[in-house]
Short mmCIF file of all heavy atoms in Angstrom, two decimals:
data_model
loop_
_atom_site.label_atom_id
_atom_site.label_comp_id
_atom_site.label_asym_id
_atom_site.label_seq_id
_atom_site.Cartn_x
_atom_site.Cartn_y
_atom_site.Cartn_z
N TYR A 221 104.08 30.00 71.97
CA TYR A 221 103.01 30.43 72.83
C TYR A 221 103.25 29.97 74.28
O TYR A 221 103.75 28.85 74.56
CB TYR A 221 101.67 29.75 72.41
CG TYR A 221 101.04 30.39 71.16
CD1 TYR A 221 101.70 31.31 70.35
CD2 TYR A 221 99.67 30.04 70.89
CE1 TYR A 221 101.07 31.79 69.25
CE2 TYR A 221 99.08 30.57 69.73
CZ TYR A 221 99.81 31.49 68.92
OH TYR A 221 99.19 31.98 67.82
N LYS A 229 103.53 21.89 82.02
CA LYS A 229 103.33 21.72 83.50
C LYS A 229 102.21 20.74 83.74
O LYS A 229 102.34 19.88 84.62
CB LYS A 229 103.00 23.10 84.12
CG LYS A 229 104.16 24.06 84.10
CD LYS A 229 103.76 25.39 84.68
CE LYS A 229 104.98 26.38 84.59
NZ LYS A 229 104.58 27.75 85.12
N ALA A 504 92.08 4.17 41.97
CA ALA A 504 91.88 2.72 41.85
C ALA A 504 92.89 1.91 42.64
O ALA A 504 92.89 0.70 42.65
CB ALA A 504 91.89 2.29 40.38
#
Side-chain angles (χ1 to χ4, degrees):
Y221 284 13
K229 292 176 182 176

